[in-house]
Amino acid sequence: MRSVIILLLLISSLQTYSQFNDSVHYHVYYGSTGIINKTNDGNSFVLNNALRFNISKKIMTLNFSNSYVYGEQQNRKTNNDFSSTIDFDIYKNIQKLYYWGLGTFDKSYSLKINRRYQVGAGVGYTFLKTETVDFVISDGIIYERSAVEKADNTEDNYGTFRNSARLKYRWVIKDLLIFEGVSFLQNSLSDKNDYILKSNNNASIKLRKWLNFTTAVNYNKLSKTQRENLLITFGLTMETYF
C-alpha cells in the first residue's frame, strides 16, 4: 500500500500530457483493478496489477511492462501469474514500416507455466497514427524456452521457434474516453497444435488528467497445457507523460 501511495503522489506532482511529442519523451502507467465477491456461501477475489514505463525518442522507443494477477476462490488459489516484457522499436516515430525486438518472462499458476522465456525480432507497420488514434500490426520470429506442468504433474521442458503476430490499438475520444489493447497469436513453427493466444484490452474514463476509471478484459490460452483464463476487472489506473 505504501508503494501505491508514493507512486500516486509522484504522478500527481508531474505535469501531465495526453501523448508523446517533441518535448515529451516518457510515460508512466500504473493500474490496479479487481473483483471481490463475498456471500454467506463463500468468497472469491481477483486482483490485477500492471506497471508500464515507456521512453520515446525520434529513432527508438523502449517499453518496459510488468503485470501480476492473484486470485482465490473459496480460499483456494486460482491465479498467481506474473509477466514481464521489455521491447524496443526502431524508426517507429519517423516512418510507417519499423523494426522491433523483445524479451519476455512469464510464470503462471492458472496456465500451468512454471517458467517461460522468449526473445525475438521482426517488423511492424503503422496503419494509422494521429493525435487520437493509433493502429499497428507487427510480425516476427521468436525463440521460446518453457517449462510447463503436464496433466500428470510432471514438468515438460521444451524449446521452439514461433511466429509472433501482434495487433495494437489506442483510441482517445474527446480526451475523455480511452480504448486500448494488444493481442498476440504465437504459433509454433514445428507443431501446428502448439499455439499461444493472448489479448489485453482496456476501456477507461478520465476522472482527472492523471487518473482513470478502467475496465480491463484479459484473455490467455495455452494449447500446450490446454489451459485458459478470462479476467474482467474494474478499478483505477494512473498515468502521466513528461
Side-chain angles (χ1 to χ4, degrees):
M1 177 61 71
R2 179 179 298 178
S3 61
V4 173
I5 294 174
I6 292 173
L7 184 61
L8 177 62
L9 292 174
L10 174 63
I11 291 177
S12 62
S13 66
L14 296 170
Q15 185 178 2
T16 57
Y17 299 83
S18 61
Q19 61 180 7
F20 291 112
N21 57 47
D22 291 341
S23 61
V24 178
H25 303 292
Y26 305 96
H27 175 228
V28 179
Y29 172 100
Y30 174 76
S32 183
T33 60
I35 293 178
I36 298 175
N37 181 34
K38 187 174 183 179
T39 69
N40 292 335
D41 299 318
N43 58 79
S44 63
F45 70 91
V46 175
L47 300 177
N48 182 11
N49 295 278
L51 176 64
R52 300 200 299 263
F53 179 64
N54 311 96
I55 302 174
S56 180
K57 296 297 180 73
K58 185 175 181 179
I59 300 298
M60 177 183 290
T61 62
L62 181 66
N63 311 293
F64 183 56
S65 61
N66 297 274
S67 66
Y68 178 64
V69 179
Y70 185 83
E72 290 186 4
Q73 184 172 16
Q74 302 293 80
N75 297 317
R76 183 178 64 86
K77 182 166 60 178
T78 57
N79 297 86
N80 189 15
D81 309 333
F82 173 76
S83 179
S84 182
T85 301
I86 184 168
D87 65 87
F88 63 87
D89 304 315
I90 300 176
Y91 302 135
K92 187 177 181 181
N93 291 330
I94 59 177
Q95 61 187 41
K96 290 182 176 294
L97 183 67
Y98 68 93
Y99 308 94
W100 60 265
L102 66 74
T104 70
F105 171 76
D106 297 283
K107 183 179 177 68
S108 174
Y109 179 86
S110 63
L111 297 175
K112 301 302 181 184
I113 303 172
N114 295 334
R115 56 192 174 277
R116 180 172 68 196
Y117 302 91
Q118 293 181 334
V119 292
V123 296
Y125 189 83
T126 303
F127 277 91
L128 185 61
K129 187 175 182 65
T130 68
E131 292 184 356
T132 58
V133 179
D134 196 5
F135 185 79
V136 179
I137 64 169
S138 64
D139 196 72
I141 301 297
I142 61 173
Y143 177 74
E144 174 186 309
R145 191 70 196 178
S146 292
V148 300
E149 186 176 326
K150 297 192 294 186
D152 60 2
N153 295 323
T154 61
E155 188 174 80
D156 182 11
N157 288 275
Y158 67 96
T160 186
F161 284 94
R162 296 184 183 276
N163 182 80
S164 181
R166 183 186 73 167
L167 183 151
K168 186 177 182 180
Y169 70 91
R170 180 178 171 91
W171 182 26
V172 182
I173 302 176
K174 296 186 180 299
D175 204 28
L176 178 64
L177 299 176
I178 304 171
F179 299 92
E180 59 183 340
V182 57
S183 298
F184 294 88
L185 176 60
Q186 298 178 336
N187 297 93
S188 171
L189 299 181
S190 58
D191 183 357
K192 65 179 182 179
N193 296 316
D194 179 7
Y195 64 90
I196 297 169
L197 183 60
K198 186 175 183 178
S199 182
N200 301 321
N201 299 275
N202 298 331
S204 301
I205 300 175
K206 275 191 174 295
L207 305 177
R208 296 185 180 274
K209 286 186 177 181
W210 52 271
L211 183 65
N212 304 327
F213 177 78
T214 299
T215 300
V217 181
N218 300 327
Y219 176 76
N220 295 275
K221 183 173 183 179
L222 181 63
S223 66
K224 193 77 173 179
T225 59
Q226 292 297 304
R227 303 281 296 185
E228 60 184 331
N229 59 39
L230 173 65
L231 300 177
I232 303 175
T233 52
F234 308 88
L236 296 176
T237 57
M238 300 166 285
E239 65 177 341
T240 188
Y241 293 81
F242 60 97

